[in-house]
């Protein structure tokens, strides 16, 4: 399956997820630059990092890929076991190897990202947060961001990593301020665009990535509001379970619209989707996040909202998955047949079996299904 004899998988335990607000409270220092900050400070005066809004500290978060710093990993360059805080070997300076796959289960959302077979590194990234309800009778909100680094740019993994973390942080803060889901998802997108742009551009160095995000808010009557925003060709799907209980749920469908040459051909009526995807320029991006992108890199129609009951799942993914299967009905049969974490793994394995020619990232949010241990109410 892979160039390596055995694929390495890093599973992040749900109880071990720590958010920036918790780190700040515990240490009294900014998690970005370690400058001392006050308990009531919203931003670090030294580096400008957001330290968390009121109630934002009630979010449980994860950001991947992120190797376990406590795991014993031998340097591929010199065989040494010691790495500095940035992940470089203290003996020869080589970067610590990443696991082939990283995954995490927060109950309300399951995420997995895999380097695939053809790529030497994972240029995708995913981040998620589960935000507790403001009152005991309010259910949690879930925030997810998936980004795919543009391989033709320099350091695409830096762009995708910065965008996912900034996007989730800003959306969580907006929700904590009682802003609407539409405002929150756009706050996340704007923060992600700024974070990628701040990486900088010099001598053609402009790390870039795609972006798709979603906020899922559930009501007590079982209805879910799914708000999606995207730039590029990472996608969001609503996938309905094939069961009598789902008769009132919205049909399986793609929720996002690609900013790509293929989508432009379809929108112009020049080709159907199947023909457009066969065009050699099909995956050429018309919009992306990067220092070389437009100041406002998103379209005016980049935000969409679906209200539905379950049972079903929201799927966010990079093109490492949907290149091999993009039909919502087929994806629904794969993603709803088992528990969300198992389904996320199976979707990744399906992409690997189909060729694994790109990095693969999957996030699944169950809707209208029984609560799982660890889901915040």
């Amino acid at each position: 399956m892979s160039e390596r004899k055995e694929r390495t998988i890093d599973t992040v335990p749900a109880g071990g997820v720590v958010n920036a607000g918790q780190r700040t409270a515990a240490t009294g220092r900014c998690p970005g630059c370690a400058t001392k900050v006050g308990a009531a400070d919203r931003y670090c005066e030294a580096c400008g990092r957001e330290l968390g809004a009121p109630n934002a500290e009630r979010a449980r978060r994860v950001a991947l890929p992120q190797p376990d710093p406590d795991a014993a990993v031998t340097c591929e360059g010199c065989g040494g076991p010691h790495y500095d805080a940035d992940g470089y070997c203290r003996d020869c300076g080589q970067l610590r190897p990443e696991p082939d796959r990283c995954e995490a289960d927060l109950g309300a959302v399951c995420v997995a990202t895999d380097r695939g077979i053809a790529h030497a590194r994972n240029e995708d990234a995913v981040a998620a947060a589960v935000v507790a309800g403001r009152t005991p009778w309010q259910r949690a909100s879930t925030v997810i961001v998936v980004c795919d680094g543009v391989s033709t740019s320099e350091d695409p993994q830096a762009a995708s990593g910065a965008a996912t973390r900034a996007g989730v942080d800003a959306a969580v803060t907006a929700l904590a301020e009682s802003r609407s889901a539409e405002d929150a998802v756009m706050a996340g997108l704007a923060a992600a665009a700024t974070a990628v742009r701040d990486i900088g551009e010099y001598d053609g160095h402009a790390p870039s990535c795609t972006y798709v995000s979603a906020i899922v808010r559930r009501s007590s009557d079982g209805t879910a509001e799914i708000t999606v925003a995207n730039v590029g060709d990472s996608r969001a799907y609503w996938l309905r379970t094939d069961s009598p209980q789902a008769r009132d749920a919205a049909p399986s469908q793609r929720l996002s619209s690609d900013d790509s040459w293929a989508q432009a051909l379809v929108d112009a009526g020049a080709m159907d989707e199947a023909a457009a995807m066969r065009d050699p320029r099909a995956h050429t991006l018309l919009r992306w996040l990067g220092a070389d992108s437009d100041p406002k890199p998103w379209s005016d129609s980049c935000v969409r909202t679906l209200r539905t009951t379950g049972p079903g799942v929201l799927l966010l993914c990079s093109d490492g998955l949907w290149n091999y299967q993009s039909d919502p009905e087929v994806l629904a049969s794969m993603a709803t047949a088992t528990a969300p974490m198992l389904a996320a793994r199976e979707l990744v394995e399906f992409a690997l079996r189909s060729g694994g020619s790109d990095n693969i990232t999957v996030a699944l949010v169950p809707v209208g299904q029984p609560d799982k241990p660890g889901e915040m109410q």
Side-chain angles (χ1 to χ4, degrees), residues 204-264:
H205 179 272
S208 305
C209 66
T210 66
Y211 183 96
V212 63
S213 64
I215 295 174
V216 181
R217 309 184 86 168
R218 302 170 178 85
S219 62
S220 58
D221 65 0
T223 302
E225 178 187 79
I226 302 171
T227 304
V228 171
N230 78 290
V231 176
D233 63 356
S234 292
R235 291 184 175 181
Y237 289 88
W238 162 249
L239 306 175
R240 182 175 66 178
T241 300
D242 183 17
S243 69
Q245 291 76 21
R247 61 183 179 274
D248 295 327
S252 297
Q253 59 191 279
R254 175 150 60 105
L255 302 179
S256 58
S257 180
D258 297 345
D259 295 308
S260 66
W261 180 264
Q263 188 66 54

Side-chain angles (χ1 to χ4, degrees), residues 24 98 135 329 339:
T24 303
E98 290 184 352
T135 61
E329 294 292 342

Side-chain angles (χ1 to χ4, degrees), residues 50 53-56 59 129-134 138-144 167-185 187-188 214-217 225 227:
E50 193 168 36
N55 298 316
V130 184
V131 186
R134 296 172 63 87
Q138 287 182 323
R139 296 176 62 88
S141 297
T142 306
V143 182
I144 321 97
V168 166
D169 285 351
V172 168
T173 297
L175 291 175
E177 295 171 341
S178 298
R179 295 165 63 182
S180 69
E182 290 81 1
D183 283 350
V185 80
I215 295 174
V216 181
R217 309 184 86 168
E225 178 187 79
T227 304

Side-chain angles (χ1 to χ4, degrees), residues 233-307:
D233 63 356
S234 292
R235 291 184 175 181
Y237 289 88
W238 162 249
L239 306 175
R240 182 175 66 178
T241 300
D242 183 17
S243 69
Q245 291 76 21
R247 61 183 179 274
D248 295 327
S252 297
Q253 59 191 279
R254 175 150 60 105
L255 302 179
S256 58
S257 180
D258 297 345
D259 295 308
S260 66
W261 180 264
Q263 188 66 54
L265 291 174
V266 173
D267 292 344
M271 296 182 184
D272 62 24
E273 185 172 359
M277 289 306 300
R278 291 193 294 268
D279 189 289
R281 299 162 292 180
H283 282 279
T284 300
L285 295 177
L286 305 183
R287 297 178 185 273
W288 62 91
L289 303 188
D292 58 346
S293 65
D294 293 336
K296 192 194 87 168
W298 53 85
S299 70
D300 292 335
S301 58
C302 73
V303 176
R304 300 163 192 85
T305 297
L306 174 73
R307 292 173 178 84

